[in-house]
């Protein structure tokens, strides 16, 4: 269980780094997606959502470590694919 929690935490650090790069990018697609939500709730709400996903995955890992590790691992993989696509697509 502890190895799964540590692995989820390390993946969470990577997710937060990718999330910050998304938020600080000047890509028009990212800005267009974020503008409606940040205008209504605030610019940091997406960080709160990212944190809740991490805490939820770590909480699930205390009961069922394999499921939590697989689900958060898939989330990290899809997040990395989206990050790669947005940063490498032609402008």
């Amino acid at each position: 269980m502890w190895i799964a929690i540590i692995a989820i935490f390390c993946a969470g650090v990577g997710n937060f780094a990718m999330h910050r790069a998304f938020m600080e990018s000047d890509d028009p697609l990212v800005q267009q997606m974020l503008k409606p939500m940040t205008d209504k709730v605030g610019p940091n709400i997406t960080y709160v959502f990212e944190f809740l996903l991490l805490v939820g995955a770590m909480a699930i890992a205390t009961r069922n470590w394999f499921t939590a590790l697989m689900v958060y691992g898939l989330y990290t993989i899809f997040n990395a694919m989206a990050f790669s696509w947005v940063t490498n697509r032609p402008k």
Side-chain angles (χ1 to χ4, degrees):
M1 173 184 75
W2 287 106
I3 294 174
I5 291 175
I6 292 169
I8 289 170
F9 179 78
C10 291
V13 170
N15 282 330
F16 269 99
M18 287 185 281
H19 187 86
R20 182 172 179 181
F22 270 131
M23 295 297 288
E24 293 180 355
S25 73
D26 58 350
D27 190 88
L29 178 64
V30 174
Q31 297 305 320
Q32 181 183 0
M33 288 185 331
L34 293 175
K35 185 164 177 44
M37 184 174 20
T38 56
D39 287 346
K40 290 180 184 174
V41 185
N44 296 325
I45 191 65
T46 56
Y47 290 109
V48 172
F49 181 70
E50 188 79 38
F51 178 74
L52 291 175
L53 283 173
L54 175 61
V55 170
M58 291 174 75
I60 293 170
T62 61
R63 300 280 180 149
N64 192 349
W65 65 269
F66 184 77
T67 302
L69 190 60
M70 291 299 113
V71 169
Y72 200 74
L74 284 172
Y75 169 71
T76 302
I77 290 169
F78 287 132
N79 197 12
M81 288 184 339
F83 178 73
S84 176
W85 177 73
V86 167
T87 56
N88 293 321
R89 70 182 175 85
K91 305 269 180 197

